[in-house]
Amino acid sequence: MNHSSRVGLILDNTNVQSITSIRTAMQEISVSENMELSVPAMLKTGMNADQAQGALNGIALEVRSLFNPTNDYQNTTILAFTCMFSFMILNINSLPLVARLWVSKRLAAELQNPFNILLRILPYTLFSTAGLIFSFGMLKVFGGGRFDANPIFFIIPVVLYVFGTVCINVLVA
């Protein structure tokens, strides 16, 4: 009569590396504690020590991994796709900025005041940032995306990245 008994354990699976040792320790603890507690009780039923230990060898810890949004590769792929295409469109539109000014013979006049070029960069930064934040918000609300930060603080690096990308495009052109 060798039965397998399962003991459930619920762990936060957001950091898999940190809970690996907990799982191992719980497996060892569950077997040793159940042996200590259950062998004397089984001896009282008339089993000898070998039979009691044999019946208890099947005790194991049941590990069930629930959904972990951190390791969800579908969301990661969708975010990468969204960022790649938004930056591709940004680069396609902002890279020829200097070339358009040169063709229209307005580049020399614009370069007389460096703030004129910065003023031309601002719409690209504004609209690209707004589009990215809107698409991330849509993914959060309707696509089950995970976002746990302060939205205002999230906008700052997005604005800086978009602004830096457009500035590099202007310098390259």
Side-chain angles (χ1 to χ4, degrees):
M1 182 176 134
N2 191 358
H3 290 80
S4 177
S5 301
R6 301 286 179 198
V7 176
L9 175 65
I10 299 173
L11 295 171
D12 182 9
N13 201 28
T14 54
N15 190 351
V16 178
Q17 290 81 14
S18 68
I19 62 172
T20 302
S21 59
I22 295 173
R23 283 186 188 152
T24 305
M26 286 303 296
Q27 181 68 37
E28 293 171 1
I29 290 169
S30 64
V31 171
S32 66
E33 289 297 318
N34 281 312
M35 286 290 218
E36 279 183 33
L37 297 173
S38 301
V39 169
M42 294 184 88
L43 289 175
K44 290 180 185 176
T45 64
M47 289 185 178
N48 63 26
D50 290 335
Q51 289 173 330
Q53 285 183 341
L56 294 173
N57 279 339
I59 295 176
L61 187 69
E62 182 70 30
V63 176
R64 183 174 294 161
S65 296
L66 302 176
F67 176 70
N68 181 0
T70 305
N71 295 334
D72 185 20
Y73 296 110
Q74 182 178 358
N75 283 342
T76 304
T77 305
I78 291 170
L79 282 174
F81 181 82
T82 303
C83 289
M84 181 187 74
F85 275 100
S86 67
F87 287 122
M88 188 173 69
I89 291 169
L90 173 69
N91 289 331
I92 287 171
N93 288 317
S94 67
L95 197 55
L97 176 68
V98 174
R100 285 192 301 263
L101 288 173
W102 184 69
V103 167
S104 65
K105 300 191 182 351
R106 291 187 289 165
L107 181 61
E110 292 291 327
L111 290 177
Q112 303 238 339
N113 186 358
F115 290 109
N116 289 342
I117 296 292
L118 286 176
L119 288 175
R120 291 188 177 272
I121 290 174
L122 288 178
Y124 293 100
T125 303
L126 179 70
F127 287 115
S128 185
T129 301
L132 273 172
I133 298 300
F134 179 75
S135 62
F136 290 157
M138 295 295 284
L139 288 173
K140 167 73 173 147
V141 172
F142 297 112
R146 182 173 180 226
F147 185 78
D148 294 326
N150 184 339
I152 302 300
F153 290 144
F154 179 70
I155 291 174
I156 295 169
V158 174
V159 167
L160 291 174
Y161 185 79
V162 170
F163 181 76
T165 302
V166 176
C167 285
I168 289 173
N169 288 341
V170 168
L171 288 176
V172 167

